[in-house]
RNA sequence: CGGGGCGUAGCGUAGCCCGGUUCAUCGCGCCUGCUUUGGGAGCAGGAGGUCGCAGGUUCAAAUCCUGCCGCCCCGACCA
């Protein structure tokens, strides 16, 4: 492509509403433009990258026997009623105003719809059906450019199996395919065991990359590879040790002391001597949750024990305990008490007195706290011990690139997608579901491969293979030589972006090229041409070498390997 | 949905507090001509705006008030 005739509108300045790096660079390099919040147009060079990623995905999906579908984005609402997911998605599902349709946010229902019409025998199984298509979700707050949009491109595949054993095989195939896909895309990723959540089913894994722009928080051990969403992560932390002697309970006047830190300062004690109280409402009843010191309650862990919970409102606190937040404690608390494992059987502890401006010392959890049970409830913190090895955990933000689920029979049961086994007995199809955010792959690649000048594409994802830069198109020798190189490269099978712009200065072209970030730049200028040479710059390393014109094609073909 | 910020030419912005002959600023980009061509060029000339929309206050509104719309950030939410 000749750049003088190609629509690649690069920007010198940073657009005011872009914040994360990948968003800034995608806008500046002319790959995308916004249309509305969370809605982006892909411009020609950006769409080339989308197609390259899609192609890699396609090849790896086909390699495990996947068959590509093209499914409707426009779905009759009643199909989504069959699985009760209109309600489950709630406001996140787009509804049309003038017909009873919804815009598909995923395609389990549609796949199951076709499966129940087509699959009738165990002989029809297994199947892996996939699609790479636009999906719609009414995100309350789109953000970070293409990373969280209302309209996005997703590879979804669905496995149909006759048993859970066979589902495991399909799941394994996807796990391996995903690793190949992300490896080929040049991403540094890690795999996180996740709870299957509202998708239902028996197991799932998330493929993540570390990024400030991420919306998930992950605990990770560099040493052994332990990785878990902070929602479910554990760590090695010391429990509070029991003192040999238990003091008696005593009340202390603590005027205006609200926080654990204030209490420690006031009494000149360590936070490890304090039990922090939080009141949650579960099933309309109050539950007192006790944590050691400043440990925070992990509400996901709490919900695993209690079901849905919410923190109590300030006015409820007073009603339930007789005190405001800051003076609540376990002694004489009338209701269920759940205590973090770190506090197990501890004694000589301080906590609130359920009376404003008073605390209690000398609390012995064995002696003074009735009606309680112990669970792991804490949010782990960076630097704590890895639960699987001797090293310590990092905690950081991450972007979810892909997610694989063992769905089981949730959808086939609900929608009646059944098959007959060898003995003529009817069973629901056992399903799996496997997604990859295509634009996220693109954004994550940029997050991981850029410098202050711009993007550093690898060979597989780059919109073009080579950026051919003719420095001064008004110089006839340069123009003629560059044109020849351009034609030869095309004939040799390269995708070439030829900067033939007549009025752009050298520096302008260099900076545009670094911004767009094609892996190789071939620079044709007066200086080197005098010696019958051109310069080849490697954008990964920013190293330049001079190459004889006569051996240029050979050199580039070799470097393509 | 709560909190915060913003909306002035294609992009980035000044002016807004304190309304009025600086009232629409500046830089980049764009158009024309000449020069320049190895790291975002120089000179000269030029085009481009319902100051987000609607209403209100006022002799007078980009500026003050009300409502709405849009965008961004933090939070909540997130198969």
């Amino acid at each position: 492509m000749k750049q003088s005739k190609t629509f690649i509108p690069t920007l010198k300045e940073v657009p005011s509403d872009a914040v994360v790096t990948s968003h800034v660079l995608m806008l500046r390099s002319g790959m995308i433009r916004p249309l509305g919040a969370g809605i982006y147009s892909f411009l020609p060079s950006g769409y080339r990258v989308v197609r390259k990623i899609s192609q890699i995905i396609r090849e790896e999906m086909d390699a495990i026997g996947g068959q590509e579908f093209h499914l409707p984005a426009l779905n009759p609402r009643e199909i989504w009623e069959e699985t009760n997911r209109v309600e489950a998605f709630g406001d996140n599902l787009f509804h049309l105003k003038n017909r009873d349709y919804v815009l598909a946010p995923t395609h389990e229902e549609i796949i199951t719809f076709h499966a129940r019409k087509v699959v009738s025998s165990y002989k029809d199984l297994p199947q892996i059906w996939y699609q790479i298509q636009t999906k719609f979700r009414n995100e309350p707050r789109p953000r970070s450019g293409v990373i969280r949009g209302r309209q996005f491109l997703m590879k979804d595949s669905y496995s149909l199996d006759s048993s859970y054993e066979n589902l495991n095989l399909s799941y394994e195939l996807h796990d391996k395919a995903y690793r190949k896909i992300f490896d080929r895309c040049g991403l540094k990723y890690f795999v996180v065991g996740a709870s299957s959540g509202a998708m239902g089913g028996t197991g799932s894994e998330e493929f993540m990359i570390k990024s400030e722009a991420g919306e998930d928080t992950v605990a990770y051990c560099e040493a052994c590879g332990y990785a878990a969403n902070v929602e479910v992560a554990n760590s090695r932390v010391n429990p509070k040790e029991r003192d040999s002697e238990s003091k008696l309970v005593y009340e202390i006047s603590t005027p205006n002391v609200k926080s654990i830190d204030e209490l420690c300062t006031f009494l000149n004690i360590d936070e490890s001597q304090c039990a922090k109280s939080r009141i949650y409402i579960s099933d309309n009843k109050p539950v007192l949750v006790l944590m050691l010191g400043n440990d925070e309650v992990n509400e996901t862990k709490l919900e695993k024990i209690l079901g849905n919970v919410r923190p109590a409102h300030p006015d409820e606190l007073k009603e339930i305990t007789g005190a405001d937040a800051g003076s609540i404690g376990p002694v004489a608390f009338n209701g269920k008490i759940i205590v973090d494992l770190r506090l197990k059987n501890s004694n000589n502890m301080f906590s609130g007195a359920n009376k404003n401006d008073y605390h209690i010392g000398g609390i012995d959890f064995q002696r003074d706290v009735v009606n309680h049970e112990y669970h792991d409830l804490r949010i782990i913190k960076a630097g704590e011990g890895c639960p699987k090895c001797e090293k310590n955990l990092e905690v950081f933000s991450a972007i979810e690139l892909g997610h694989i689920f063992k769905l089981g029979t949730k959808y086939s049961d609900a929608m009646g997608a059944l098959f007959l086994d060898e003995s003529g007995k009817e069973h629901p199809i056992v399903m799996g579901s496997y997604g990859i955010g295509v634009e996220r792959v693109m954004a994550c690649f940029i997050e991981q491969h850029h410098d202050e000048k711009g993007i550093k594409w690898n060979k597989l994802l780059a919109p073009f293979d080579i950026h051919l830069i003719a420095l001064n198109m008004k110089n006839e020798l340069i123009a003629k030589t560059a044109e020849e190189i351009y034609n030869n490269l095309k004939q040799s099978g390269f995708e070439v972006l030829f900067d033939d712009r007549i009025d752009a200065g050298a520096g302008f072209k260099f900076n545009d090229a670094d911004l767009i970030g094609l892996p190789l730049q071939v620079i044709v200028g007066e200086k080197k041409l005098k010696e019958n040479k051109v310069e080849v710059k490697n954008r990964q390393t920013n190293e330049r070498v001079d190459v004889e014109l006569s051996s240029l094609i050979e050199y580039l073909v070799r470097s393509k390997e």
Side-chain angles (χ1 to χ4, degrees):
Chain A
M1 304 285 285
K2 293 193 173 178
Q3 210 164 335
S4 60
K5 298 186 175 69
T6 308
F7 185 59
I8 304 180
T10 55
L11 299 171
K12 215 182 281 190
E13 289 173 287
V14 177
S16 63
D17 48 13
V19 175
V20 305
T21 305
S22 56
H23 189 198
V24 170
L25 289 176
M26 285 165 92
L27 288 165
R28 286 194 55 216
S29 64
M31 293 197 289
I32 59 168
R33 283 293 182 268
L35 184 65
I39 313 175
Y40 289 88
S41 295
F42 277 81
L43 277 35
S45 70
Y47 195 52
R48 279 177 161 261
V49 178
V50 167
R51 289 206 306 268
K52 301 234 168 157
I53 295 168
S54 302
Q55 190 52 36
I56 290 172
I57 293 173
R58 216 166 252 134
E59 286 168 14
E60 297 301 337
M61 291 310 301
D62 290 349
I64 62 168
Q67 304 160 78
E68 187 169 8
F69 278 56
H70 187 83
L71 299 170
L74 204 54
N75 293 179
R77 199 202 55 190
E78 56 186 16
I79 291 183
W80 287 78
E81 295 290 5
E82 289 190 41
T83 53
N84 205 30
R85 287 175 103 202
V86 174
E87 193 191 340
F89 268 101
D91 198 44
N92 256 21
L93 185 65
F94 277 111
H95 292 255
L96 265 60
K97 276 187 174 161
N98 60 350
R99 198 173 281 274
D100 206 2
Y101 287 158
V102 299
L103 293 178
T106 173
H107 280 84
E108 280 82 9
E109 278 77 359
I110 310 311
I111 290 289
T112 312
F113 172 87
H114 292 301
R116 82 174 159 199
K117 295 201 171 251
V118 169
V119 174
S120 50
S121 158
Y122 70 96
K123 292 175 192 163
D124 299 324
L125 301 172
Q127 296 285 336
I128 294 174
W129 294 350
Y130 76 96
Q131 50 155 185
I132 302 176
Q133 284 179 240
T134 301
K135 315 238 169 176
F136 300 86
R137 255 195 261 169
N138 187 20
E139 291 293 344
R141 177 148 99 84
R143 67 184 97 175
S144 305
V146 115
I147 290 171
R148 171 159 297 237
R150 294 212 167 109
Q151 169 174 345
F152 54 96
L153 194 60
M154 185 142 166
K155 190 287 302 186
D156 252 340
S157 56
Y158 304 91
S159 62
L160 309 177
D161 280 292
S162 55
S163 68
Y164 278 89
E165 291 72 41
N166 292 336
L167 167 62
N168 287 340
L169 297 178
S170 295
Y171 184 89
E172 284 305 314
L173 286 175
H174 277 89
D175 183 88
K176 292 204 176 76
Y178 272 39
R179 289 167 198 266
K180 279 190 189 159
I181 289 166
F182 297 133
D183 283 341
R184 286 180 69 185
C185 287
L187 293 166
K188 191 187 172 210
Y189 64 94
F190 57 94
V191 184
V192 174
S195 66
S196 42
M199 288 290 286
T202 53
S204 80
E205 280 177 332
E206 292 171 321
F207 291 76
M208 315 280 269
I209 75 145
K210 181 177 179 175
S211 166
E212 291 291 317
E215 297 173 340
D216 291 272
T217 308
V218 168
Y220 183 67
C221 176
E222 186 76 49
C224 74
Y226 171 80
N229 201 304
V230 153
E231 288 181 354
V232 297
N234 299 313
S235 65
R236 270 187 291 113
V237 282
N238 295 328
K240 171 72 178 160
E241 287 189 15
R242 189 173 170 83
D243 296 339
S244 52
E245 256 179 61
S246 256
K247 295 176 189 164
L248 291 176
V249 165
Y250 59 101
E251 199 173 87
I252 316 155
S253 170
T254 53
N256 288 321
V257 170
K258 305 273 184 227
S259 68
I260 293 291
D261 289 341
E262 285 164 3
L263 185 66
C264 291
T265 307
F266 187 83
L267 296 177
N268 194 26
I269 55 174
D270 191 80
E271 69 171 58
S272 66
Q273 294 171 265
C274 305
K276 180 166 76 177
S277 304
R278 297 283 314 273
I279 302 277
Y280 284 87
I281 305 296
S282 162
D283 201 14
N284 284 324
K285 289 195 281 281
V287 178
L288 175 63
V289 176
L290 290 163
M291 306 299 295
L292 177 63
N294 273 318
D295 284 356
E296 293 294 330
V297 179
N298 183 327
E299 293 182 5
T300 305
K301 289 182 180 176
L302 187 62
E303 289 196 331
K304 274 199 174 154
I305 301 158
L306 295 175
N308 280 353
V309 299
R310 64 166 175 85
H313 306 306
D315 50 327
E316 289 174 323
L317 294 180
K318 192 78 182 250
E319 193 180 317
I320 294 161
T321 69
D324 293 318
S327 298
I328 294 170
V331 176
F333 177 81
N334 189 15
K336 186 168 188 155
I337 301 178
I338 297 190
V339 185
D340 182 66
L341 279 176
R342 268 185 113 183
L343 284 168
K344 191 162 189 177
N345 297 330
S346 56
N347 60 353
N348 299 328
M349 299 298 290
F350 295 87
S351 194
N354 294 324
K355 184 162 85 173
N356 277 355
D357 296 329
Y358 284 91
H359 281 78
I360 285 180
I363 300 171
D364 182 337
F365 275 79
Q366 289 180 349
R367 180 191 65 200
D368 306 318
V369 182
V370 292
N371 197 19
H372 67 286
E373 51 190 78
Y374 293 104
H375 291 283
D376 169 35
L377 293 171
R378 48 192 304 279
I379 295 179
I380 69 135
K381 291 177 195 154
E384 292 174 354
C386 172
K388 293 277 171 65
C389 76
E390 294 308 305
K391 299 289 198 237
N392 293 334
L393 292 173
E394 294 174 70
V395 172
F396 48 74
S397 304
I399 299 170
E400 180 186 344
L401 278 174
H403 204 157
I404 58 180
F405 289 94
K406 293 178 188 174
L407 290 177
T409 59
K410 174 175 170 169
Y411 298 91
S412 47
D413 271 332
M415 296 181 65
L418 309 170
F419 71 95
L420 297 180
D421 68 13
E422 293 90 328
S423 58
K425 228 176 121 196
E426 208 167 48
H427 300 282
I429 299 170
V430 183
M431 297 175 61
S433 157
Y434 317 86
I436 294 177
V438 177
E439 291 111 323
R440 282 187 179 183
V441 171
M442 183 169 170
C444 288
F445 182 89
I446 295 170
E447 292 287 336
Q448 291 185 343
H449 303 276
H450 67 272
D451 62 15
E452 62 290 343
K453 290 275 190 177
I455 304 171
K456 296 174 161 189
W457 287 116
N458 69 7
K459 287 167 194 153
L460 287 178
L461 301 195
F464 301 87
D465 299 321
I466 290 171
H467 208 153
L468 174 64
I469 302 164
L471 288 186
N472 179 5
M473 283 298 284
K474 285 179 185 161
N475 176 314
E476 273 182 38
L477 179 63
I478 292 175
K480 186 172 141 284
T481 309
E483 188 77 33
E484 278 171 19
I485 295 172
Y486 176 57
N487 289 324
N488 288 339
L489 286 173
K490 279 201 298 184
Q491 272 175 22
S492 306
F494 287 100
E495 294 176 332
V496 188
L497 182 63
F498 175 20
D499 193 344
D500 62 334
R501 291 175 295 180
I502 206 154
D503 48 359
F508 193 94
K509 291 186 175 186
F510 285 139
N511 282 312
D512 253 8
D514 288 345
L515 175 61
I516 292 168
L518 303 186
L520 290 174
Q521 296 171 13
V522 174
I523 299 155
V524 185
E526 209 168 352
K527 211 161 76 184
K528 300 286 161 65
L529 216 46
K530 279 183 191 154
E531 310 163 27
N532 263 329
K533 287 178 178 169
V534 294
E535 194 169 273
V536 178
K537 172 173 165 178
N538 180 329
R539 180 65 179 113
Q540 299 289 331
T541 60
N542 287 325
E543 286 167 355
R544 308 138 175 274
V545 291
D546 294 343
V547 179
E548 293 281 348
L549 265 181
S550 54
S551 60
L552 177 66
I553 301 288
E554 191 197 344
Y555 176 87
L556 294 171
V557 167
R558 216 175 332 117
S559 68
K560 198 181 182 182
E561 303 308 318

